């Protein structure tokens, strides 16, 4: 393939395709990270009480101190 035959249009399309692929890759990584960190902050508890609040389901559970 001769480099002088490559037009700006083809180069632009290839660059745009690479950018879109990279953008989708970044979005996929962000959604994976958000899914893994979804349970952080789910449970709320106070040290003076013996109950824990599950903020996702709204239930209160009794817990023991290890």
């Amino acid at each position: 393939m001769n480099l002088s035959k490559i037009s700006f249009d083809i180069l632009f399309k290839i660059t745009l395709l690479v950018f879109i692929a990279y953008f989708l890759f970044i979005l996929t990584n962000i959604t994976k990270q958000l899914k893994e960190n979804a349970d952080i902050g789910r449970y709320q508890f106070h040290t003076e009480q013996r109950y824990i609040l599950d903020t996702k389901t709204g239930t209160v559970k009794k817990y023991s101190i290890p």
Side-chain angles (χ1 to χ4, degrees), residues 26-55:
I26 294 296
L27 282 179
T28 304
N29 283 342
I30 290 172
T31 55
K32 281 183 187 178
Q33 187 176 12
L34 288 175
K35 185 178 179 183
E36 289 173 3
N37 294 336
D39 287 338
I40 295 175
R42 177 177 173 178
Y43 299 103
Q44 295 179 0
F45 62 94
H46 301 284
T47 56
E48 62 272 356
Q49 297 177 354
R50 303 209 36 102
Y51 296 99
I52 186 169
L53 172 64
D54 185 354
T55 57

Side-chain angles (χ1 to χ4, degrees), residues 4-65:
S4 63
K5 299 277 183 178
I6 296 177
S7 67
F8 176 75
D9 187 43
I10 293 172
L11 187 63
F12 178 76
K13 288 179 182 178
I14 291 172
T15 306
L16 188 62
L17 183 65
V18 168
F19 175 75
I20 290 171
Y22 180 72
F23 184 71
L24 290 175
F25 176 73
I26 294 296
L27 282 179
T28 304
N29 283 342
I30 290 172
T31 55
K32 281 183 187 178
Q33 187 176 12
L34 288 175
K35 185 178 179 183
E36 289 173 3
N37 294 336
D39 287 338
I40 295 175
R42 177 177 173 178
Y43 299 103
Q44 295 179 0
F45 62 94
H46 301 284
T47 56
E48 62 272 356
Q49 297 177 354
R50 303 209 36 102
Y51 296 99
I52 186 169
L53 172 64
D54 185 354
T55 57
K56 188 173 184 180
T57 61
T59 59
V60 177
K61 302 175 184 177
K62 191 173 185 178
Y63 74 98
S64 61
I65 299 172

